[in-house]
Amino acid sequence: MTMTVRAGLKGLASAFLLTAAAAVTVTFTLTMTPAPAAAAEAKGEWARPTGTSRIKIAPCGDALCGTLVWLKDPRNDDKNPDEAKRSRPLLGSQTVIGMKPTGKDGQWKGKVYNAEDGETYTGFIQMDGNDKLKLEGCVMGGLLCKGETWTRVK
């Protein structure tokens, strides 16, 4: 009878050691696995690919907004649908408006004012790494979009 008990205890001890070893391995693997990278930061100063302007994106309330901080050829907002605003300088105006996270990694949704045609569109920001930002303006509920990729100013 003692042999059976000893054999049972040996089996139990082996099972316990295997379970403990597996737990240590899992714990070590989890602590050594790098955490997923955080979404790239949209805040900062960005240059259009044409080199004609720079936009600074910063918090505005619980959203992100973009302000025109540099223009190669400064001009007034002459295409604005509000006639009273057509004589205001574009420099310092807000072109990216109320961008809030969509839940998709590195993406925000809000409005984009296009001074080239005076229209405001549904807009999306999508980060492409840390130094590229794609800005899109969309119509028809986001079915048709046009955009460009901006580069972070260092």
Side-chain angles (χ1 to χ4, degrees):
M1 179 118 174
T2 34
M3 267 181 132
T4 309
V5 171
R6 278 193 192 144
L9 288 176
K10 279 185 180 180
L12 185 60
S14 294
F16 176 76
L17 287 175
L18 285 173
T19 303
V24 168
T25 302
V26 167
T27 302
F28 180 75
T29 302
L30 289 175
T31 58
M32 296 307 291
T33 303
E41 183 64 61
K43 291 183 275 186
E45 192 171 322
W46 300 90
R48 290 186 63 192
T50 59
T52 58
S53 62
R54 291 183 180 174
I55 294 88
K56 182 176 182 181
I57 296 183
C60 59
D62 63 345
L64 292 177
C65 295
T67 303
L68 217 52
V69 293
W70 181 84
L71 281 169
K72 183 176 182 177
D73 298 313
R75 66 179 179 87
N76 289 341
D77 193 5
D78 57 359
K79 303 269 197 285
N80 196 305
D82 181 347
E83 199 171 313
K85 294 181 180 178
R86 291 182 187 162
S87 61
R88 75 176 181 169
L90 275 175
L91 196 59
S93 67
Q94 198 172 81
T95 58
V96 177
I97 306 154
M99 292 282 181
K100 294 187 177 187
T102 64
K104 184 178 174 187
D105 193 33
Q107 186 182 68
W108 292 262
K109 180 182 179 184
K111 299 283 181 189
V112 178
Y113 174 68
N114 182 357
E116 293 171 12
D117 66 8
E119 297 293 325
T120 301
Y121 299 95
T122 297
F124 289 92
I125 290 175
Q126 179 66 56
M127 295 302 298
D128 181 11
N130 197 40
D131 294 327
K132 299 285 183 190
L133 173 151
K134 183 171 185 177
L135 180 78
E136 289 185 312
C138 305
V139 295
M140 297 177 58
L143 292 176
L144 297 172
C145 299
K146 183 177 178 184
E148 59 187 20
T149 301
W150 297 352
T151 304
R152 187 181 298 277
V153 175
K154 299 199 180 205

